[in-house]
Amino acid sequence: MKKILIVAMITVFALGAKAQKFEGLADTPPMGWNSWNKFACDVTEDLIKETADAMVSSGMKDAGYEYIVIDDCWHGERDSLGFIQADPARFPSGIKALADYVHSKGLKFGIYSDAGWQTCGGRPGSRGREYQDAMTYASWGVDYLKYDWCNTEGLKAEGAYLTMRDALYEAGRPIVLSICEWGDNDPWDWAEPIGHLWRTTGDIYNCFDCEEDHGTWSSWGVLQIIDMHPGIRSAAGPGHWNDPDMMEVGNGMTVNEDRAHFALWAMQAAPLIAGNDIRNMSPETLEILTNKDVIAIDQDTLGVQGYKHIDEEDYEVWVKPLAGGDVAVCFLNRTEEAMDITFDWATNKLVDPDFGHTTDFAQSRYDIYNVWTHKKAGNTKKALKASLPGRDVLMLRLSKK
Ligand code: GLA
């Protein structure tokens, strides 16, 4: 196997084929599961296999979740020729066997590396080994690479991610490239031809409204993340998505908070990467993660990220234009107290600031469908009156009559 890989590498360098990004891999935001938020470095092949099993048996696969991604710390050492190996204690059967298992469930398999010399968890990074690692991943059957940005002193982000994009392309297996440099180098300005999604912020933290200070860096609650980088939605679209990080649904927030978190990710056309223990989740968590009406808004083929129509300190109204002229509207109560709202459709023309989609309720009437109760909720003739529980949303899909 190693000999074949070495011959392949020499051939690739000799031919010097023109590299590009693999197209058509993320026409809608990727959906899946990643080990980091819940398990951090405590990853094993049994965990990954059981998670793949649960993805199918829970109904998450049927709801659209596809990728099972091992984050940091799967790595062992490089061998004498420099090939990366899995940690033999945690992954005794090797990564190829694990990828085969995940594929046998009808799912896709993802892995993690870093553009620097070490990963954030101190495992070997891909710096200087990009082509060798890309070929190794391709030979294992990897479908998705999350590529991190720790220990990258002296590197330029755009160039480093371009190198890995080219390496993946030369390796010949279509692999989604998930760029993870935390929005530090404005990836929305350069990453579209390089990756399929790019993190826009530092790490998420399992809270609705908080900053967790780690000394030299912070991780962020749901509200903090949705407040960051308001001006970047025009960079997202089919094949290239802003990524506000993997989800914390089911990791300890309240049901209301989890619902709001999931709704806001869908309104932003965010990748929906679950980050909880899907082998053991409550019925409420499963119901949130598999809400097909909310997922349909995230996965809408128009591929337009939502915008804020009303932006008040405690209350926001988010709008996401959808294919065929439908529109999703999400009312958010940021506070812990219940809130009464009134929204007069006729005086609220919805105007997309970047893509020009407009919805004028004074001109046309729309039917209202509540995507959390799965019930019709009248139309836009009368003003909407509702009570929003604390830290929760009212999320509607509107269709022209
Ligand atoms: C960084 C990333 C996280 C996770 C860890 C792993 O912090 O942003 O999502 O991958 O590294 O060490």
Side-chain angles (χ1 to χ4, degrees), residues 34 36-37 41 71-73 112 119-121 146 148-150 180 182 199 201-203 217 245-246:
N34 173 299
W36 183 256
N37 285 355
C41 275
D71 206 280
D72 207 347
C73 304
Y112 163 102
T119 70
C120 300
K146 174 175 168 184
D148 214 339
W149 190 240
C150 280
C180 179
W182 319 304
R199 283 275 296 279
T201 71
D203 289 3
W217 59 287
D245 206 357
M246 306 161 309

Side-chain angles (χ1 to χ4, degrees), residues 178-198:
S178 162
I179 294 175
C180 179
E181 55 70 81
W182 319 304
D184 285 2
N185 305 276
D186 300 347
W188 40 87
D189 288 339
W190 49 261
E192 177 179 340
I194 297 178
H196 302 91
L197 60 160
W198 51 82

Side-chain angles (χ1 to χ4, degrees), residues 30-350:
M31 293 178 65
W33 175 90
N34 173 299
S35 52
W36 183 256
N37 285 355
K38 177 71 183 175
F39 298 98
C41 275
D42 196 9
V43 284
T44 62
E45 68 181 35
D46 287 345
L47 168 69
I48 301 303
K49 284 169 136 178
E50 289 165 18
T51 300
D53 294 347
M55 191 74 111
V56 176
S57 61
S58 65
M60 284 180 72
K61 174 173 180 272
D62 285 343
Y65 294 85
E66 191 176 18
Y67 294 96
I68 302 275
V69 183
I70 320 180
D71 206 280
D72 207 347
C73 304
W74 59 266
H75 322 67
E77 292 177 357
R78 292 190 183 277
D79 71 10
S80 59
L81 295 173
F83 287 96
I84 189 69
Q85 308 172 100
D87 179 329
R90 291 179 171 276
F91 296 89
S93 313
I95 301 294
K96 169 94 175 70
L98 191 52
D100 288 347
Y101 185 85
V102 170
H103 291 148
S104 77
K105 299 276 154 179
L107 297 165
K108 291 186 171 159
F109 178 75
I111 213 166
Y112 163 102
S113 188
D114 188 290
W117 63 282
Q118 275 193 341
T119 70
C120 300
R123 304 315 198 263
S126 291
R127 183 170 181 173
R129 299 275 184 191
E130 293 88 350
Y131 282 75
Q132 191 174 12
D133 285 354
M135 292 215 170
T136 302
Y137 304 153
S139 75
W140 285 343
V142 168
D143 305 298
Y144 183 113
L145 174 66
K146 174 175 168 184
Y147 202 46
D148 214 339
W149 190 240
C150 280
N151 306 302
T152 53
E153 300 76 18
L155 290 182
K156 289 220 167 81
E158 183 176 355
Y161 284 98
L162 193 64
T163 301
M164 185 45 98
R165 179 205 74 169
D166 290 354
L168 292 171
Y169 193 77
E170 303 283 11
R173 181 179 173 89
I175 294 179
V176 170
L177 179 56
S178 162
I179 294 175
C180 179
E181 55 70 81
W182 319 304
D184 285 2
N185 305 276
D186 300 347
W188 40 87
D189 288 339
W190 49 261
E192 177 179 340
I194 297 178
H196 302 91
L197 60 160
W198 51 82
R199 283 275 296 279
T200 54
T201 71
D203 289 3
I204 195 168
Y205 193 73
N206 183 26
C207 69
F208 196 72
D209 185 7
C210 77
E211 173 182 350
E212 179 73 5
D213 185 352
H214 303 275
T216 53
W217 59 287
S218 287
S219 45
W220 307 97
V222 168
L223 289 184
Q224 282 66 31
I225 285 184
I226 63 160
D227 290 347
M228 286 177 198
H229 309 303
I232 61 174
R233 64 185 284 273
S234 62
H240 48 99
W241 306 102
N242 286 314
D243 173 11
D245 206 357
M246 306 161 309
M247 296 186 288
E248 294 281 11
V249 173
N251 280 341
M253 280 187 271
T254 67
V255 172
N256 303 59
E257 290 168 340
D258 272 351
R259 180 166 42 230
H261 171 21
F262 193 66
L264 290 163
W265 261 230
M267 291 302 288
Q268 295 186 85
L272 297 179
I273 310 291
N276 59 313
D277 185 352
I278 66 171
R279 302 167 307 172
N280 300 297
M281 57 184 155
S282 68
E284 291 84 0
T285 296
L286 179 63
E287 197 182 329
I288 291 171
L289 288 174
T290 57
N291 183 319
K292 291 194 175 160
D293 293 322
V294 177
I295 291 172
I297 289 168
D298 178 80
Q299 295 286 303
D300 183 79
T301 54
L302 192 62
V304 168
Q305 183 174 334
Y307 62 90
K308 260 190 267 188
H309 170 71
I310 292 178
D311 185 7
E312 291 173 5
E313 199 181 329
D314 294 341
Y315 164 69
E316 291 169 5
V317 179
W318 288 77
V319 173
K320 186 178 193 284
L322 303 174
D326 281 12
V327 59
V329 183
C330 182
F331 303 85
L332 167 67
N333 176 359
R334 294 171 63 108
T335 75
E336 287 179 286
E337 310 301 323
M339 172 187 286
D340 291 326
I341 59 161
T342 303
F343 189 82
D344 183 14
W345 301 100
T347 56
N348 275 282
K349 186 172 171 181
L350 308 179

